[in-house]
Structure formats: C-alpha cells, structure tokens
Amino acid sequence: MTVLSVCAISTNGALDAGGAYYMISRALGPEFGGSLGVMFFFANVCGSALYVLGLVESIVDTFGLPPGQTTSSGIQVLPHSYWYEILYGTVILIICLLVCLVGADIYAKATFIIFIIVIVVISTIFISFFVVSPKSINITVTSGNNTEFREGLFTGFNLSTLKSNLPSKYVADYTTGVMMGFAAVFAVMFNGCTGIMAGSNMSGDLKNPSYSIPRGTITAVIFTYIVYNILSLMISCTCDRFLLQNNYGFLEDINVWHPFVIIGIYSSTLSAAMSNLIGASRILYALAKDNIFGKLLVPAKKTSASGNPWAAVLISWVFVQLVLFTGKLNTIAGIVTIFFLLVYAAVDLACLALEWASAPNFRPTFRYFTWHTCVLGIIGCAIMMFLISPIYASCSIAFMLILLLVLHYVSPSSSWGYISQALIFHQVRKYLLMLDVRKDHVKFWRPQVLLMVANPRTSTQLICFANDLKKSGLYVLGHVQTGDLDEMPSDPLQAQYDSWLSLVDALNVKSFVSLTLSDSVRHGVQHLLFISGLGGMRPNTLILGFYDDSVPEDDLQQIPAFSESSHSIYSDQGSSLLPHFPPARHRSSAKALSGREYVGIISDSIKMLKNVCLARYFNQLNKADLFSRKNYEVSIDVWPLNPLRPDSASYVDTCSLFLLQMACILNMVRSWRKARLRIFLCVESGNSAGEHEKKLKQLLGQLRIKGSIKTLHWDSVAALHWHKQVPDHSNNEGNFVNNFPSNAMKISNDYLIAVNRMILEQDTHPAIRFLYLPRPPADLALHERYLEQLEILTRDLGPTLLIHGISAVTSFDI
C-alpha cells in the first residue's frame, strides 16, 4: 500500500533530495515533514547499524573462535567478545563511509555489482534444494557453561517436514533470552523489506526520479515478494525445526558450494548498510537545506564539488557508530521497524491528504491507487507498530508530536504550500453550502460583525473590542479606499492585504479582511455590506467609529509586534509593514467623508436590515490595565431607553432588547466575565418605580441575563424634554418615502446636556457604556443636527457604544 502512495507522490511533479522526507514535507508542511524527517533519519541510522551488526554476526559465526576456545583452528581465527564485535563493526562501517564519501556514482556501481552477486547466490540456493542429497548437519548448542553437540536434518523435499514446520512454536531470543512471538519475528523480518525506500532516498541523485522511482520500487517489491515466498516454502519443505532454530547459517551447509552463501550474505548486508547510511545522509542534507531546524544543521549543508553532501555523510556515520554500541540485533530491529512503519504511515497520510483535498494540481501519472489503499496502509502500519512494542510505538509517536509542536512555533514559514489549507478549503466550502439561511433561528443568533476601519493606526483598541463582541461569529475588518480604477494602472488594494493580515496576526484577532475601492466611502460601505461573507455567514452588524472633531492618535506603535525594534513584522528583505498604513490624520487635514455622508451610511445599513453600532472614545479603553487594578470593580453600564424619545418609556422594544443582548454577550466573554452588568432604569416620580423595576427584573430573568438594576428618578431631566423643545418649522419630512417619526428638531441641547450629565454622575467610571442609538431622520437636512445631538449625548462619557438593533435576537424558549 505504501509503495502505491510513494509512486503516486513521486509522479506528481519534480522530486528533489530527501526521498520520503521531501514527499511528506511538500505535502503536509514543514512541521510534519521536519518531525518525520528526523524519525526517518534515525530509522536509516538504526537500520545501517542493524545491517552492520548482522554482518558482524555472520563473520563471527564463520571466522570466529568457537565458544570456550582460545586457539585458532582452520579459518576460525577471529576473537569473539563484545568489544571485538564493536571493532569489526567499526571497520565495516568505515568501508561503507568511504564508499559514500566518494559519491552516489561509485555507490550505484557498487550496488549494481552486489546485485549481480546476490542474484547468482540466490540462484545457487534454489538449485541446491534440488541437487543436494538429504544429510545431517552438526550443531553446537551452548546453554550457560554447557556445550552440547547435536544434529539438524536437511531432509530434501518432504511433506512431513513441511507439516512439522507449520506450527509456530516460538522459542527464546538467543541475544536477549526473551520469548519470541509473531510481532518480534515480524519486526526482524520487516527489515528485509525496508529497501523499498532506497530508491526514493536517492531521489536527488536520480536523473528522472518521477520515472525511475515507481518502476524501480514496484519491480523491487514484486521481485522480493516472489523470492521470499519461494525461499520460505522451500526451506519449510526441506529443513527440520531444530536446524532452523539453532543454526542461522544452515543455507551455507546445504549449498552446492558453501562460500557462495557467505559471499551473498556479506554482499547483501554490506549493500543494505551502505544504502541506509547514504539514505540517512541525504535526509539530513535535505533537512539542513530547507532550514527546518535553523542554524542547528548548518554544518550538514556542506557539499563537495560534485554535489555530494560529505558533511551529512560524516554526521550520519557518527550516529550509526553510536548505535553500534548497543550490540543487540533484535532490539535494534524492533526500533528500526517502528520508525519505518511510522514513516510509511506518514507517506500514506500525505497521499491520502492530497487525494482528499481534491486539488486540481494533484494529478500523478501513476494512477493505480485510491484513498482506500492509503487508509489501509495507515491502519496496517499503526496496528503492526503497537503489536511489535506498544511502549516503543507510543514513545515514537510522542517524540514525533513534540517535534511537530516545536517546529510549529520555531520553524520559518515556507513557500511549499500547506495541505491543511487545501483540506480546510474543501471542508469549509462543503459546510458553507450546507449552512442554509432559511433555517436560521433566533435561538442560535450571534453577532456577525463588519467593522469599518479608516486607518488601523488609530483603531487597534476598537478592533480588539469588536473581536470580543463577536461571540464566535463572523468578524470582518472592512476598509474603503476612494479612487477610480479606470485611472489607475493596477489595483492598489492587492499590495495592502499582507499588511492587514499582519495586523490581524499581531492583534491576535479572529477576523477576515475585506478591502474595496470606491468613488466614495458611503458607496464602499454599501459594497461591503452587500458582498462580504458567503452563504449563511454574512455580516448582520455594522460597527463604525464615531464622527467628531477629535484628533486621532497613532497607537499602532504601542503594540510590541509593530514596534520599530520588532523583527516579527519584517519580511526577508527587511522592509517593514508599517509604511503600508498611512499616517494618522492631522488636525488640519480634511476628513474622508462628510457628516451627512456618515449619517447616510447609518441610514443605508438600517435600510439593509443591518444592526448598527457607533463606537466613541475607544482609544481610552485599556482592558489589561482595567482588570489588573486591585479593589476595583469593573462594570458595564447599559442605558436601554431611547434618549431622543423619552416619552416612549419602553424597555421591551427590539432595539432595547438588542442592546441588552450585546451587553450580555460581552459579559460572557472570558476576559470580561469579572465585569458587573448594570442596567439603568429611568422613571418619573408619577410612575410606579417598583412596578417598572419588577417588570424589568422579570424580563432579565426570562432572558437569563445576570445584572443589577439601578433605578433613577429623572424628573428634572425629562422636564427639559417637554419644556424646552425647539419649534419645528419644517413640514418637509412627510414628503419622504422612507418617512418615520423623528424628534431630531424638537430635542433641545439643554435636555441632551442634562442627560449626558446624569450619565456622568453615576457611581463609578464603567469600562463600557451601552447606549440606545436613535434611528436617523429621513430628512437629509436633519442629518447634521442628528449627529450634533449624538455628540452632545456622548460627550466625555469614555468608551461608549451607541447601538441600534433591527432584528429580534432574544429567545425565551429552550
């Protein structure tokens, strides 16, 4: 299954050095690629040590002194002890090192010669099963200090021999004394199949890897599968169990010419050791070249004039030498198998992710795979990992995850493309199509915010506040640049997107960015309200900064990520993103829009059934300082009465309920939970204050809103509304199609100043004030007066949010 995935990925474009690491990293990103590249590097290192130890064991069995004997006899001349075996392994490893240092060309020639030798040896083995007569083979069995001489049988093809070999009947491992089982035998046998990655590891040295890897890998797997199965069947039919369990060199004893097998074993193990050593060096070189671990792997980048990464070869050789000191063949075999299985599972995962992402550019020329084969490969690898050793498997996965997390935070961004983005796009598109606006219900309503930002330099506090207010809903930062595209050589907004996205990252807000070019700010806001979002995810609430004569302050420099000394916002060329945001408006500079146009934006939004919020004095909001004060109670004040229509005296209209809902949503946010919600009830002495308070408390209980009610007698303030009304000499308002009641001309400034003073005279300085935003008048001539009234009403109130709600957002039902 893994071979099919390897072939699919390798035929989907140009393949560079690194083999499986290159495939995984380019498909799953640098985090997965780097962590699994390290695992694959260690797998090849341990694999090389495994084959060297296997070769040493074979040499000692053939040329080593028998147990308990100190004098040489015949060809058995080599001393036999732990340190002598390390010496023999070191010599063999140096030979492999020298071949790998010369380069891939000499390695390829050497492996081809070895391949011819191995083919000849295998042929002689198959012939020997037919031409060699049945015979007994002397076996020396050592148990503790006792040495016993027994005989194993080569019976020739015999059905009874086959039947006797069919049961498992596992025995203890001769190196560790631990009882063997299926998983342990599989771990040892599996290392004879890991060569399927040898070709992909040499991907950087192949002329046409996309052509050679699929054909070479599939041919090797089929050939190996056939040879292993035929060889296993012939051995089972001709050799008894005792011979197989106690003489690992039995093929030498039954061969037509004994040295043939020795030559074959030495050649194949030497080739496998070199293959893993050169594979490890190529993976290390690819990791270093990609700067996954920064300066840590810089020495591994050094290459010879011919391009051979000699430094990576030397580093790999050192690691292999260290593994040799373990000396436990079967222990290393288990570790190597788990590492390889983990990498194979990752290759299958990479292919599966590419297939599921349905990216048009994933069109490999090798088509004999499906997502089913990838899943089967992943499941098979995972099962065998835990069957071999649950502890080793768990530790390997944990080590990989730790590396993945570390690389996620420290590795530099890459231009390889992230499969996660393709998968997210695929799933988001699918679920957006399932999000049906016709099934919306008030119980599941949430604010979906479009915040209009004139200049990010002066709006950072408001941007962060709106992020708190969205309650897991859609959040869009909108910006309008005035101009005519016909008069410009190209779209000026494209160059600004990176700056805005960097702002989003620096402020750690979860928002989208939507920029538009228009002939006026008002038309631009209309465009954004019409087109922002997709499907059921469209803004339902517009937030605007307040329109006044205050001079905007540049507070972008106060953010650490955007300070001049910070390196996090610098590109590779060292150019700062700050200049892409224009400087804050100077006192003498003209505004981008007029007051009448600003009120027109509010009117447009209400006509489009969007809720509207006007934010004033949010440059004074410092949430971190607010909640760090000791013995200071933070409060959120809510004034749900329409100040331009105090005669309505209603707290249950749509706008008032929306006001309460938004204040409650803010209070539900984790960073605002410590704040106390205060609702102010304004009543006149002639009315029953207790009855009004009781009804409001009952309403809050039904809405599950926790807050304290503060009743205010505002007779003196309300009297100004009735006694100091401005005469209305205009009869034009009734001529408008969109006519609705307005007190804009009747309300006096004295009344508004009194309301403002009443709000200011309350107990504490709240963190935020939520006020009712009256609907703008339909008469365009009254827009300037309406804006003046809002300015007087909110003057010096601190952070204030004027809110006008259109849609029903509260529910009494479950």
Side-chain angles (χ1 to χ4, degrees):
M1 301 302 175
T2 303
V3 169
L4 300 180
S5 300
V6 169
C7 295
I9 297 175
S10 63
T11 59
N12 190 51
L15 202 61
D16 205 347
Y21 157 72
Y22 188 88
M23 298 177 193
I24 296 168
S25 61
R26 269 47 179 186
L28 301 182
E31 297 93 345
F32 269 101
S35 57
L36 287 163
V38 171
M39 303 293 286
F40 198 31
F41 168 74
F42 283 117
N44 279 274
V45 164
C46 294
S48 182
L50 173 74
Y51 294 122
V52 170
L53 287 174
L55 179 54
V56 169
E57 183 178 298
S58 178
I59 291 172
V60 170
D61 283 346
T62 305
F63 300 103
L65 295 173
Q69 189 173 325
T70 57
T71 57
S72 59
S73 60
I75 61 171
Q76 296 177 320
V77 295
L78 296 178
H80 184 191
S81 69
Y82 168 78
W83 288 109
Y84 274 112
E85 289 182 4
I86 296 297
L87 175 62
Y88 305 150
T90 303
V91 173
I92 294 168
L93 189 57
I94 290 174
I95 296 172
C96 297
L97 172 66
L98 294 174
V99 173
C100 294
L101 282 176
V102 173
D105 291 339
I106 189 66
Y107 164 76
K109 293 175 182 177
T111 51
F112 180 75
I113 294 171
I114 291 173
F115 171 73
I116 299 298
I117 294 172
V118 171
I119 291 295
V120 172
V121 171
I122 290 175
S123 301
T124 63
I125 290 173
F126 286 144
I127 294 171
S128 298
F129 284 116
F130 294 96
V131 301
V132 175
S133 303
K135 63 178 180 178
S136 299
I137 300 171
N138 294 325
I139 301 173
T140 303
V141 180
T142 303
S143 178
N145 294 326
N146 299 323
T147 301
E148 184 179 356
F149 298 97
R150 299 181 59 182
E151 291 184 348
L153 298 177
F154 172 73
T155 63
F157 289 98
N158 191 309
L159 185 60
S160 60
T161 304
L162 175 62
K163 290 180 179 179
S164 66
N165 284 327
L166 290 179
S168 55
K169 295 182 181 179
Y170 296 111
V171 295
D173 176 13
Y174 71 100
T175 60
T176 61
V178 178
M179 182 59 67
M180 301 295 284
F182 170 77
V185 173
F186 175 85
V188 176
M189 287 294 299
F190 186 79
N191 289 280
C193 306
T194 56
I196 63 170
M197 286 293 187
S200 61
N201 288 343
M202 298 291 294
S203 55
D205 300 296
L206 298 174
K207 290 182 180 179
N208 188 357
S210 296
Y211 176 87
S212 303
I213 289 176
R215 288 161 178 78
T217 304
I218 291 176
T219 303
V221 169
I222 294 173
F223 179 79
T224 304
Y225 178 79
I226 294 172
V227 170
Y228 278 10
N229 277 280
I230 294 175
L231 190 60
S232 298
L233 181 62
M234 288 185 171
I235 290 173
S236 301
C237 293
T238 57
C239 303
D240 72 346
R241 180 181 293 273
F242 183 79
L243 176 64
L244 297 178
Q245 289 179 337
N246 293 276
N247 185 357
Y248 299 137
F250 67 91
L251 287 176
E252 177 187 350
D253 296 316
I254 65 174
N255 198 269
V256 290
W257 188 52
H258 295 181
F260 261 140
V261 175
I262 297 174
I263 294 170
I265 292 174
Y266 293 178
S267 301
S268 58
T269 50
L270 189 64
S271 171
M274 285 192 295
S275 173
N276 280 266
L277 179 60
I278 202 167
S281 66
R282 295 312 189 262
I283 296 165
L284 185 62
Y285 173 66
L287 285 167
K289 194 169 66 171
D290 288 338
N291 289 318
I292 295 291
F293 293 91
K295 296 181 180 179
L296 184 64
L297 297 181
V298 168
K301 290 184 179 180
K302 297 179 180 179
T303 61
S304 63
S306 61
N308 184 35
W310 60 268
V313 173
L314 285 174
I315 295 171
S316 303
W317 169 74
V318 171
F319 276 99
V320 176
Q321 183 64 57
L322 292 175
V323 176
L324 284 181
F325 285 103
T326 60
K328 300 291 184 181
L329 192 66
N330 289 351
T331 302
I332 298 175
I335 297 172
V336 172
T337 299
I338 288 174
F339 280 4
F340 271 108
L341 285 172
L342 190 61
V343 174
Y344 291 174
V347 172
D348 287 318
L349 178 62
C351 189
L352 177 66
L354 290 169
E355 178 71 8
W356 276 355
S358 300
N361 281 325
F362 182 63
R363 43 179 186 270
T365 56
F366 181 87
R367 296 301 306 168
Y368 300 102
F369 79 100
T370 66
W371 68 267
H372 304 86
T373 61
C374 300
V375 171
L376 287 175
I378 295 170
I379 294 173
C381 290
I383 290 173
M384 291 313 304
M385 280 172 58
F386 283 93
L387 280 179
I388 291 168
S389 175
I391 296 175
Y392 287 167
S394 302
C395 291
S396 299
I397 294 173
F399 178 62
M400 181 198 72
L401 293 176
I402 292 171
L403 276 176
L404 191 148
L405 289 174
V406 170
L407 290 174
H408 177 72
Y409 291 104
V410 303
S411 67
S413 59
S414 69
S415 58
W416 307 335
Y418 292 82
I419 190 65
S420 58
Q421 295 298 303
L423 290 171
I424 291 170
F425 177 87
H426 184 71
Q427 293 300 109
V428 167
R429 180 194 62 83
K430 182 170 69 174
Y431 286 115
L432 273 176
L433 291 171
M434 296 169 62
L435 191 61
D436 192 343
V437 293
R438 295 169 295 183
K439 297 179 182 178
D440 282 348
H441 195 278
V442 67
K443 289 190 297 184
F444 309 112
W445 180 91
R446 67 183 73 228
Q448 307 204 72
V449 176
L450 171 62
L451 172 63
M452 296 306 303
V453 180
N455 190 336
R457 290 181 179 276
T458 62
S459 310
T460 55
Q461 295 295 342
L462 182 56
I463 292 172
C464 294
F465 174 77
N467 185 64
D468 291 338
L469 200 62
K470 72 181 188 305
K471 187 56 180 175
S472 303
L474 176 69
Y475 181 25
V476 180
L477 294 179
H479 173 72
V480 178
Q481 180 170 326
T482 55
D484 188 353
L485 191 59
D486 290 338
E487 300 175 357
M488 299 178 179
S490 62
D491 182 5
L493 300 176
Q494 295 302 318
Q496 299 180 24
Y497 270 102
D498 285 345
S499 300
W500 282 84
L501 294 176
S502 297
L503 174 74
V504 169
D505 294 338
L507 296 178
N508 195 26
V509 296
K510 298 177 181 178
S511 72
F512 298 95
V513 174
S514 187
L515 312 179
T516 188
L517 184 70
S518 181
D519 59 343
S520 69
V521 175
R522 183 177 180 181
H523 289 162
V525 175
Q526 289 176 0
H527 295 165
L528 293 177
L529 286 172
F530 276 125
I531 66 174
S532 292
L534 283 173
M537 292 188 67
R538 292 185 178 277
N540 56 29
T541 303
L542 174 69
I543 300 181
L544 301 170
F546 198 78
Y547 189 91
D548 55 19
D549 294 325
S550 62
V551 180
E553 300 177 2
D554 188 347
D555 51 5
L556 197 63
Q557 289 283 353
Q558 299 174 9
I559 301 171
F562 278 90
S563 64
E564 293 292 350
S565 59
S566 174
H567 298 285
S568 62
I569 60 164
Y570 283 79
S571 65
D572 293 337
Q573 290 75 27
S575 59
S576 172
L577 294 175
L578 287 174
H580 292 299
F581 296 132
R585 180 176 59 83
H586 194 265
R587 182 183 296 273
S588 59
S589 302
K591 296 181 181 179
L593 74 166
S594 64
R596 180 172 293 184
E597 189 179 9
Y598 178 81
V599 179
I601 292 173
I602 300 173
S603 299
D604 294 341
S605 304
I606 294 173
K607 291 175 186 177
M608 298 166 69
L609 301 180
K610 307 294 184 184
N611 309 297
V612 181
C613 302
L614 306 182
R616 190 176 192 188
Y617 297 123
F618 270 83
N619 60 315
Q620 300 176 11
L621 179 64
N622 189 334
K623 190 169 67 173
D625 177 64
L626 200 65
F627 287 98
S628 63
R629 300 178 189 174
K630 294 183 179 179
N631 302 321
Y632 181 80
E633 186 178 50
V634 180
S635 63
I636 301 171
D637 287 1
V638 184
W639 298 79
L641 183 66
N642 185 349
L644 300 191
R645 278 198 166 274
D647 54 316
S648 64
S650 174
Y651 289 90
V652 290
D653 68 340
T654 300
C655 190
S656 296
L657 292 175
F658 185 86
L659 196 70
L660 290 169
Q661 178 81 336
M662 295 297 280
C664 178
I665 287 173
L666 181 64
N667 198 210
M668 292 169 67
V669 177
R670 179 177 298 177
S671 57
W672 288 92
R673 283 177 188 169
K674 294 181 180 179
R676 184 166 62 97
L677 203 62
R678 302 193 306 172
I679 298 98
F680 288 87
L681 177 64
C682 299
V683 297
E684 296 184 55
S685 299
N687 296 326
S688 174
E691 187 67 23
H692 279 293
E693 185 173 342
K694 182 180 178 181
K695 288 182 179 179
L696 182 57
K697 188 175 292 185
Q698 184 180 6
L699 174 66
L700 294 177
Q702 291 174 332
L703 295 175
R704 289 88 62 203
I705 297 176
K706 294 181 180 180
S708 60
I709 300 174
K710 186 166 184 180
T711 305
L712 299 178
H713 293 279
W714 70 323
D715 300 62
S716 59
V717 177
L720 293 174
H721 168 66
W722 302 113
H723 296 258
K724 289 198 174 184
Q725 288 191 354
V726 178
D728 185 4
H729 302 293
S730 173
N731 295 318
N732 297 329
E733 193 166 338
N735 298 329
F736 286 85
V737 175
N738 296 316
N739 183 35
F740 43 84
S742 173
N743 276 357
M745 291 299 294
K746 298 179 181 178
I747 297 294
S748 68
N749 286 354
D750 291 341
Y751 164 72
L752 292 171
I753 292 171
V755 174
N756 175 265
R757 187 181 298 113
M758 177 185 68
I759 295 173
L760 284 171
E761 288 174 353
Q762 298 316 305
D763 303 350
T764 59
H765 297 286
I768 305 285
R769 286 185 173 95
F770 284 77
L771 271 62
Y772 191 116
L773 174 66
R775 188 166 187 162
D779 188 352
L780 300 180
L782 301 180
H783 282 184
E784 295 285 353
R785 172 60 182 163
Y786 170 79
L787 197 55
E788 180 188 358
Q789 291 171 337
L790 295 182
E791 194 281 327
I792 296 171
L793 178 67
T794 59
R795 187 178 295 165
D796 299 325
L797 289 186
T800 303
L801 202 65
L802 288 157
I803 299 177
H804 186 88
I806 294 294
S807 53
V809 295
T810 56
S811 173
F812 300 103
D813 301 327
I814 296 177

